[in-house]
Amino acid sequence: MRVLLAIDGSPSSDAARDLLTSLDWPEGTSVRVVGIVDVTNPALLGYSPYVVPYVDLRDVERSLDATLTDVADALQVAGLQADRTLLRGRPGSRIVEAAVEFGAELIILGSRGMGRIESMLLGSVSAEVVDHAPCAVLVARSDTVGRILVATDGSVTAGLAVDHLASTSYLARVPVEVIAVAPTIGQAGPISEPEITDQVLRIYADEAREARKHAEAIAASAARRLADAGRTVRWSISVGDAAREIIETASCLHCDLVVVGSRGLTGLRRILLGSVARNVLLHTHASVLVVRDSTPVASDRVGVAAPAESTEVSAAI
């Protein structure tokens, strides 16, 4: 397996590093450790609109380069094939480019980088990488995984998320909870006629019952797929707003990793990340693995700013 680990020396990227080393990687796994010197950061270039201490770009490069070497050496000691690369440019763009060049099957990075506001659960770099990555992305918020929650709605990308868990070994020993969320069925407003009210309520009750049965079938099917692959798995359903139910279930079941597809049944192909996946990614306190359909979509890149001029500072070792 080919894994790209993006680090910047922040506590969040330390969690990503530690999470990577805690997982059971298959023999022959190759890890590329990438650090990006953000040459577009106004503070580093000396023209920030705010009063900030001067930062010498050469000091940043030396510090990050040393960190990359330490991490790559530690991964090699742990039995993984590892190299390291220091790059310059826009971090989000350069991470995605590095993943494409490396042929990465998974990107691991922290949820916030250096200088991010602590109240934000997701930094701009990790959000950009999740949107544009060519492969699955694991956004780390803790350094271990003890229980997984995988959300499914029967969509193609939800199926890919289940297949990813079933077919890869790095999470094979972790028990899995499967959840499918049925929509809330209810009337839009009051109805004055009692006869009509009874009829409408019966329709709503029938629709709610069918929605629950459909969710149960989806969850049970996903659980069977995982059980057949040798995974320890349970399934359940919930009713309500999908993102809210996924986040609350992850908290209640003490799941420290949530696995989602990049788009659900209601997602448009031109949308980079579905609303449910994005809300989970933004608001859960668990790590999140986003599994995406890697089929190219021409409109995915429309409106995305071109990456800044960038160069490789030091070759991989």
Side-chain angles (χ1 to χ4, degrees):
M1 188 169 185
R2 300 176 74 81
V3 181
L4 186 138
L5 171 65
I7 63 172
D8 62 2
S10 67
S12 186
S13 77
D14 290 346
R17 174 203 62 203
D18 294 343
L19 179 57
L20 185 151
T21 56
S22 74
L23 300 175
D24 297 320
W25 300 102
E27 186 176 353
T29 293
S30 179
V31 180
R32 175 156 295 174
V33 188
V34 175
I36 316 295
V37 178
D38 186 359
V39 298
T40 66
N41 187 331
L44 296 180
L45 297 179
Y47 57 82
S48 172
Y50 307 102
V51 177
V52 295
Y54 172 73
V55 179
D56 190 324
L57 192 60
R58 292 169 297 181
D59 289 341
V60 173
E61 290 181 355
R62 282 192 292 267
S63 176
L64 185 53
D65 190 55
T67 300
L68 290 171
T69 300
D70 290 343
V71 172
D73 289 347
L75 292 177
Q76 290 173 348
V77 170
L80 294 167
Q81 300 174 19
D83 60 31
R84 33 86 74 219
T85 303
L86 178 63
L87 304 172
R88 301 174 71 182
R90 291 183 65 251
S93 299
R94 291 299 273 154
I95 291 169
V96 171
E97 291 168 5
V100 172
E101 179 184 352
F102 183 52
E105 299 164 77
L106 177 67
I107 298 171
I108 302 179
L109 74 169
S111 58
R112 286 188 302 267
M114 297 291 286
R116 303 300 178 204
I117 300 173
E118 285 302 309
S119 63
M120 295 175 62
L121 287 180
L122 191 70
S124 59
V125 172
S126 47
E128 182 179 352
V129 171
V130 170
D131 267 342
H132 299 295
C135 57
V137 180
L138 175 50
V139 178
R141 291 194 173 100
S142 64
D143 55 8
T144 59
V145 176
R147 184 171 295 274
I148 298 168
L149 178 68
V150 58
T152 180
D153 61 0
S155 64
V156 171
T157 53
L160 291 174
V162 173
D163 288 343
H164 184 88
L165 285 180
S167 61
T168 55
S169 62
Y170 69 96
L171 294 167
R173 298 184 184 181
V174 185
V176 180
E177 304 282 348
V178 175
I179 185 173
V181 181
T184 302
I185 307 295
Q187 66 188 63
I191 302 175
S192 58
E193 296 296 330
E195 298 83 1
I196 299 177
T197 299
D198 290 342
Q199 182 180 3
V200 169
L201 290 178
R202 283 195 298 271
I203 293 172
Y204 285 148
D206 289 343
E207 290 181 350
R209 188 160 46 248
E210 288 302 313
R212 290 180 63 90
K213 287 175 60 178
H214 183 59
E216 289 172 356
I218 290 172
S221 176
R224 282 194 301 271
R225 169 77 175 95
L226 292 166
D228 289 344
R231 306 301 302 273
T232 301
V233 59
R234 302 185 305 182
W235 66 267
S236 62
I237 70 164
S238 189
V239 178
D241 176 77
R244 182 179 295 111
E245 295 300 318
I246 293 167
I247 293 167
E248 290 182 358
T249 300
S251 178
C252 291
L253 296 180
H254 306 290
C255 297
D256 38 25
L257 175 63
V258 178
V259 182
V260 294
S262 58
R263 285 183 293 269
L265 287 173
T266 58
L268 301 176
R269 287 289 289 139
R270 63 182 175 83
I271 294 177
L272 297 173
L273 192 66
S275 60
V276 173
R278 184 172 297 281
N279 283 333
V280 170
L281 188 61
L282 287 172
H283 300 297
T284 185
H285 287 272
S287 299
V288 179
L289 172 61
V290 179
V291 180
R292 62 188 312 114
D293 180 357
S294 58
T295 303
V297 180
S299 58
D300 274 3
R301 296 290 179 167
V302 173
V304 177
E309 186 70 22
S310 53
T311 58
E312 184 171 328
V313 176
S314 61
I317 60 172

